[in-house]
Amino acid sequence: MLNFYWGAVGSGKTLTLLREYADLKRLNQKNVLLVKPLKDTRTTNVYSRFGPMEAIPDIYLADTPESLAEFSTQAYGAQVVLVDEVQFLAEPWIEKFRELADAGIEVRCYGLRNDSNRNLFPTSLRLLNVADNIIEIPSTCECCGAAAKFSQIKQGSEPGVGFGYFGVCSRCYRDHKQPNL
Protein backbone atom coordinates (compact mmCIF):
# COMPACT_ATOMS: atom_id res chain seq x y z
CA MET A 1 0.00 0.00 0.00
CA LEU A 2 1.33 3.42 -0.97
CA ASN A 3 -0.20 6.28 1.04
CA PHE A 4 0.30 10.01 0.57
CA TYR A 5 -0.45 12.14 3.63
CA TRP A 6 -0.51 15.80 2.67
CA GLY A 7 -1.36 19.06 4.35
CA ALA A 8 -0.48 22.74 4.42
CA VAL A 9 2.46 23.99 6.44
CA GLY A 10 1.62 23.62 10.12
CA SER A 11 -0.86 20.77 9.71
CA GLY A 12 1.20 18.35 11.80
CA LYS A 13 2.34 16.00 9.02
CA THR A 14 5.67 15.23 10.66
CA LEU A 15 4.11 15.00 14.10
CA THR A 16 1.69 12.38 12.73
CA LEU A 17 4.61 10.49 11.17
CA LEU A 18 6.59 10.61 14.43
CA ARG A 19 3.63 9.34 16.45
CA GLU A 20 3.18 6.41 14.06
CA TYR A 21 6.92 5.70 14.14
CA ALA A 22 7.00 5.75 17.95
CA ASP A 23 3.93 3.51 18.20
CA LEU A 24 5.31 0.97 15.72
CA LYS A 25 8.68 0.89 17.50
CA ARG A 26 7.16 0.75 20.99
CA LEU A 27 4.84 -2.09 20.08
CA ASN A 28 7.66 -3.81 18.20
CA GLN A 29 5.09 -5.03 15.72
CA LYS A 30 6.77 -4.15 12.46
CA ASN A 31 10.21 -3.55 11.03
CA VAL A 32 10.07 0.19 10.30
CA LEU A 33 12.40 2.21 8.10
CA LEU A 34 12.37 6.01 8.64
CA VAL A 35 13.76 8.13 5.81
CA LYS A 36 14.02 11.79 4.86
CA PRO A 37 15.47 13.74 1.93
CA LEU A 38 19.02 15.00 2.22
CA LYS A 39 17.68 18.27 0.69
CA ASP A 40 15.77 19.00 3.92
CA THR A 41 18.53 20.93 5.66
CA ARG A 42 16.52 22.47 8.51
CA THR A 43 17.60 19.70 10.90
CA THR A 44 19.42 16.38 10.58
CA ASN A 45 16.66 14.55 12.47
CA VAL A 46 13.03 14.12 11.61
CA TYR A 47 11.65 16.93 13.74
CA SER A 48 8.21 18.48 14.31
CA ARG A 49 7.72 22.14 15.13
CA PHE A 50 4.83 21.06 17.40
CA GLY A 51 6.49 19.03 20.02
CA PRO A 52 9.39 17.40 21.70
CA MET A 53 9.26 14.34 19.43
CA GLU A 54 12.06 13.72 16.96
CA ALA A 55 13.83 10.70 15.51
CA ILE A 56 17.05 9.94 13.69
CA PRO A 57 16.34 8.73 10.16
CA ASP A 58 17.62 5.31 9.15
CA ILE A 59 18.56 6.70 5.73
CA TYR A 60 18.93 10.15 4.19
CA LEU A 61 17.73 10.03 0.59
CA ALA A 62 19.73 11.82 -2.09
CA ASP A 63 18.78 12.06 -5.74
CA THR A 64 21.56 9.71 -6.84
CA PRO A 65 21.63 6.12 -8.16
CA GLU A 66 23.83 5.14 -5.19
CA SER A 67 21.28 6.42 -2.69
CA LEU A 68 18.48 4.61 -4.53
CA ALA A 69 20.49 1.37 -4.45
CA GLU A 70 21.33 1.69 -0.72
CA PHE A 71 17.70 2.45 0.09
CA SER A 72 16.46 -0.51 -1.99
CA THR A 73 18.71 -2.91 -0.09
CA GLN A 74 17.36 -1.78 3.28
CA ALA A 75 13.75 -1.20 2.23
CA TYR A 76 13.14 -4.78 1.14
CA GLY A 77 13.81 -5.86 4.74
CA ALA A 78 11.16 -3.49 6.13
CA GLN A 79 7.45 -3.95 6.61
CA VAL A 80 6.73 -0.21 6.78
CA VAL A 81 8.64 2.70 5.22
CA LEU A 82 7.90 6.19 6.58
CA VAL A 83 9.01 9.07 4.33
CA ASP A 84 9.16 12.63 5.71
CA GLU A 85 9.11 15.75 3.47
CA VAL A 86 8.51 13.68 0.33
CA GLN A 87 8.06 16.82 -1.82
CA PHE A 88 11.84 17.36 -1.73
CA LEU A 89 12.58 14.08 -3.52
CA ALA A 90 12.89 13.53 -7.27
CA GLU A 91 10.19 11.61 -9.14
CA PRO A 92 12.20 8.34 -9.48
CA TRP A 93 11.77 7.88 -5.73
CA ILE A 94 8.00 7.67 -6.20
CA GLU A 95 8.45 4.87 -8.71
CA LYS A 96 10.61 3.03 -6.15
CA PHE A 97 7.97 3.56 -3.44
CA ARG A 98 5.30 2.21 -5.82
CA GLU A 99 7.49 -0.82 -6.53
CA LEU A 100 7.89 -1.48 -2.80
CA ALA A 101 4.14 -1.16 -2.23
CA ASP A 102 3.49 -3.61 -5.07
CA ALA A 103 5.88 -6.02 -3.29
CA GLY A 104 3.75 -5.85 -0.12
CA ILE A 105 5.71 -3.21 1.82
CA GLU A 106 3.60 -0.41 3.26
CA VAL A 107 4.97 3.00 2.26
CA ARG A 108 3.63 6.13 3.94
CA CYS A 109 4.77 9.42 2.41
CA TYR A 110 4.23 12.73 4.23
CA GLY A 111 4.61 16.13 2.62
CA LEU A 112 3.25 19.22 0.98
CA ARG A 113 1.05 19.05 -2.09
CA ASN A 114 1.77 22.59 -3.33
CA ASP A 115 4.59 25.09 -3.10
CA SER A 116 4.00 28.65 -1.92
CA ASN A 117 2.92 29.64 -5.45
CA ARG A 118 0.16 27.00 -5.33
CA ASN A 119 1.96 24.87 -7.93
CA LEU A 120 2.06 21.13 -7.35
CA PHE A 121 5.47 19.77 -6.41
CA PRO A 122 6.43 17.29 -9.19
CA THR A 123 6.83 14.49 -6.64
CA SER A 124 3.46 15.26 -5.08
CA LEU A 125 1.80 15.25 -8.50
CA ARG A 126 3.28 11.82 -9.18
CA LEU A 127 2.05 10.57 -5.80
CA LEU A 128 -1.43 11.92 -6.52
CA ASN A 129 -1.36 9.78 -9.68
CA VAL A 130 -0.01 6.51 -8.26
CA ALA A 131 -0.82 6.38 -4.52
CA ASP A 132 -3.38 3.88 -3.29
CA ASN A 133 -4.65 6.38 -0.72
CA ILE A 134 -4.44 10.16 -0.52
CA ILE A 135 -5.09 11.46 2.97
CA GLU A 136 -5.35 15.13 3.84
CA ILE A 137 -4.09 16.12 7.27
CA PRO A 138 -6.41 19.02 8.10
CA SER A 139 -5.06 22.37 9.13
CA THR A 140 -6.42 25.76 10.16
CA CYS A 141 -5.67 29.02 8.37
CA GLU A 142 -3.38 31.02 10.61
CA CYS A 143 -5.08 34.25 9.50
CA CYS A 144 -8.83 33.59 9.72
CA GLY A 145 -9.39 30.10 11.13
CA ALA A 146 -10.86 28.53 7.94
CA ALA A 147 -9.48 25.28 6.52
CA ALA A 148 -5.90 25.80 5.31
CA LYS A 149 -5.04 24.21 1.98
CA PHE A 150 -2.03 26.29 0.95
CA SER A 151 1.28 27.55 2.29
CA GLN A 152 2.44 31.14 2.21
CA ILE A 153 5.76 32.82 2.95
CA LYS A 154 5.90 34.97 6.08
CA GLN A 155 6.79 38.60 5.42
CA GLY A 156 10.52 39.10 5.74
CA SER A 157 11.34 35.40 5.21
CA GLU A 158 13.49 34.05 2.42
CA PRO A 159 11.89 31.56 0.02
CA GLY A 160 13.27 28.03 0.27
CA VAL A 161 13.50 25.30 2.86
CA GLY A 162 12.86 26.57 6.35
CA PHE A 163 10.31 27.60 8.93
CA GLY A 164 9.34 30.90 7.22
CA TYR A 165 5.99 29.55 5.98
CA PHE A 166 2.46 29.27 7.37
CA GLY A 167 -0.81 27.60 6.34
CA VAL A 168 -3.64 29.65 4.80
CA CYS A 169 -7.03 29.23 3.17
CA SER A 170 -7.56 30.22 -0.47
CA ARG A 171 -9.06 33.62 0.36
CA CYS A 172 -6.23 34.65 2.72
CA TYR A 173 -3.69 33.38 0.19
CA ARG A 174 -5.30 35.50 -2.53
CA ASP A 175 -5.40 38.56 -0.24
CA HIS A 176 -1.76 38.02 0.87
CA LYS A 177 -2.80 38.12 4.51
CA GLN A 178 -0.28 37.49 7.27
CA PRO A 179 -1.02 35.81 10.59
CA ASN A 180 -1.64 37.92 13.69
CA LEU A 181 1.45 37.06 15.70
Side-chain angles (χ1 to χ4, degrees):
M1 188 79 54
L2 175 59
N3 298 314
F4 178 33
Y5 296 84
W6 73 273
V9 167
S11 63
K13 298 175 298 297
T14 300
L15 184 60
T16 302
L17 176 150
L18 287 167
R19 274 193 228 135
E20 288 187 25
Y21 179 71
D23 285 346
L24 290 168
K25 286 292 197 182
R26 180 178 51 82
L27 298 172
N28 203 18
Q29 292 182 334
K30 297 187 178 190
N31 185 7
V32 182
L33 187 64
L34 177 63
V35 299
K36 79 176 256 181
L38 197 56
K39 285 182 187 175
D40 182 6
T41 58
R42 296 172 299 172
T43 65
T44 55
N45 292 345
V46 175
Y47 164 82
S48 172
R49 68 181 81 208
F50 292 120
M53 295 179 74
E54 66 181 281
I56 299 170
D58 297 301
I59 303 176
Y60 296 92
L61 305 178
D63 292 331
T64 65
E66 296 81 17
S67 184
L68 198 59
E70 177 191 350
F71 170 75
S72 295
T73 301
Q74 291 190 35
Y76 278 103
Q79 293 173 291
V80 178
V81 176
L82 300 174
V83 184
D84 191 38
E85 302 292 356
V86 70
Q87 74 274 3
F88 294 130
L89 294 172
E91 289 182 62
W93 284 105
I94 304 310
E95 302 312 317
K96 176 53 71 178
F97 299 153
R98 179 72 261 170
E99 178 185 309
L100 291 170
D102 291 343
I105 298 167
E106 186 174 351
V107 181
R108 302 176 193 171
C109 298
Y110 295 79
L112 298 170
R113 182 182 63 171
N114 307 74
D115 65 17
S116 60
N117 293 316
R118 294 200 292 192
N119 296 315
L120 286 169
F121 283 100
T123 305
S124 299
L125 174 60
R126 189 69 189 134
L127 272 167
L128 290 169
N129 287 323
V130 302
D132 296 303
N133 297 297
I134 300 162
I135 302 101
E136 180 181 2
I137 298 176
S139 181
T140 302
C141 177
E142 292 188 37
C143 298
C144 74
K149 304 285 184 185
F150 306 105
S151 302
Q152 190 153 293
I153 300 172
K154 290 181 182 173
Q155 287 179 345
S157 295
E158 292 291 322
V161 177
F163 292 115
Y165 296 85
F166 61 98
V168 292
C169 67
S170 183
R171 187 185 46 177
C172 290
Y173 180 92
R174 182 192 66 231
D175 295 342
H176 302 288
K177 290 192 175 174
Q178 292 286 309
N180 298 322
L181 300 178

